[in-house]
Amino acid sequence: MSVTTEPSAARDHAPVGKPNPLFKNLSAKLASIPMIITALVVFVGGTTWTVVYSFTNSKLLPRANFVGLDQYERLWSTRRWMVSIENLAIYGICSMILTLIIGFTLAALLDRKIRFENTFRTIFLYPFALSFIVTGLTWQWILNPDFGLQNVVRNWGWESFAFNPLNDPNTVIFGILIAGIWQGSGLIMCIMLAGLRGIDEDIWKAARVDGIGTVKTYLRIILPMMRPVIITSLVLIASGIIKLYDLVVAQTNGGPGIASEVPAKYVINYMFRAQNLGQGFAASTMMLVSVIIILIPWAYLEFGGRKRG
């Protein structure tokens, strides 16, 4: 009996090795290989190719005739590019602040359990379902001084009323900003509303018991708890700011003159209209650098700080 049981007892007490984490969820990892290869080839490869050829004097077709930093020197000495950067900064700062404030305000109002909440939520979100071209053309009509808002108000009797931002070089970027905020605020509202609905009702009850007002509750308790939601909203708004192109083309096409030029339009014009790939690649690279400058500090503070904590 002892001879037959000893091997089985030894097997029962034999140490079981931990499975190799490399083979954990192996089927999912194998299924993700095509996506990883696509990302490496298309995104990383395309980005590297763009950066490399930004140092060439490529015109209609790319050619490896390197000219050093000539394209970048020309880029930063071009008034059109400087106007584009200034417009993007103005649009970006105003859009980031106003879209976030309007979206959160609408979400806070809907979170009060008002009547016809679903109807209002659909109305506020509807502009986001439209394409940027449709939004741009719609607001071009609304802001047209001949038959838009200015004409309507003057027909009501206010003859001196003037509101014509798209034809004024000093205010044209704010006319584009109106359309951008109108389209993007609904999405931010929905994201904020989802975050507010995730707040425990007991927190509100405790705030009322402590005599904390509604505004202070939002500012001191609710907003800090919604930090991940706010960061997500900011990332979405920032991605839309960097890609600003369709609204400009639909409303002003960069006019009057070059007053409403933006970097994305500069890139498109030089790559496909002026047939100057080198200059377009240089502008694209500078847009990439601006995104990296913003993302690296944010990623370090968000994820690095969390690991240390």
Side-chain angles (χ1 to χ4, degrees), residues 203-204 207 212-223:
I203 294 176
W204 285 102
I212 303 176
T214 303
V215 176
K216 288 186 177 180
T217 303
Y218 276 115
L219 294 178
R220 298 183 180 181
I221 302 176
I222 303 302
L223 285 177

Side-chain angles (χ1 to χ4, degrees), residues 63-95:
R63 55 181 180 177
N65 185 10
F66 293 93
V67 293
L69 298 174
D70 288 358
Q71 296 289 2
Y72 292 94
E73 293 176 359
R74 178 186 174 189
L75 178 69
W76 288 102
S77 62
T78 303
R79 173 167 170 74
R80 183 184 295 268
W81 174 254
M82 300 306 296
V83 171
S84 300
I85 294 297
E86 181 181 350
N87 285 336
L88 189 66
I90 295 173
Y91 181 93
I93 294 173
C94 294
S95 179

Side-chain angles (χ1 to χ4, degrees), residues 80-116:
R80 183 184 295 268
W81 174 254
M82 300 306 296
V83 171
S84 300
I85 294 297
E86 181 181 350
N87 285 336
L88 189 66
I90 295 173
Y91 181 93
I93 294 173
C94 294
S95 179
M96 190 83 71
I97 296 174
L98 294 177
T99 303
L100 198 65
I101 292 176
I102 294 174
F104 180 79
T105 302
L106 293 176
L109 292 175
L110 291 179
D111 192 48
R112 310 309 293 178
K113 306 296 189 301
I114 63 173
R115 297 181 61 184
F116 307 110

Side-chain angles (χ1 to χ4, degrees), residues 108-144:
L109 292 175
L110 291 179
D111 192 48
R112 310 309 293 178
K113 306 296 189 301
I114 63 173
R115 297 181 61 184
F116 307 110
E117 175 190 333
N118 292 334
T119 302
F120 285 114
R121 188 167 53 194
T122 302
I123 293 173
F124 294 146
L125 185 60
Y126 176 75
F128 185 74
L130 302 176
S131 70
F132 285 104
I133 295 295
V134 173
T135 299
L137 292 175
T138 301
W139 278 96
Q140 183 193 55
W141 179 86
I142 294 174
L143 299 177
N144 189 298

Side-chain angles (χ1 to χ4, degrees), residues 210-271:
D210 293 338
I212 303 176
T214 303
V215 176
K216 288 186 177 180
T217 303
Y218 276 115
L219 294 178
R220 298 183 180 181
I221 302 176
I222 303 302
L223 285 177
M225 295 179 64
M226 293 180 60
R227 183 170 177 264
V229 177
I230 295 174
I231 291 176
T232 300
S233 301
L234 290 175
V235 171
L236 291 175
I237 297 172
S239 65
I241 292 170
I242 296 296
K243 297 184 296 183
L244 178 64
Y245 173 76
D246 309 66
L247 282 178
V248 175
V249 172
Q251 287 186 270
T252 65
N253 198 28
I258 60 172
S260 60
E261 288 284 337
V262 289
K265 187 174 182 298
Y266 184 96
V267 172
I268 296 295
N269 286 345
Y270 270 88
M271 292 184 67

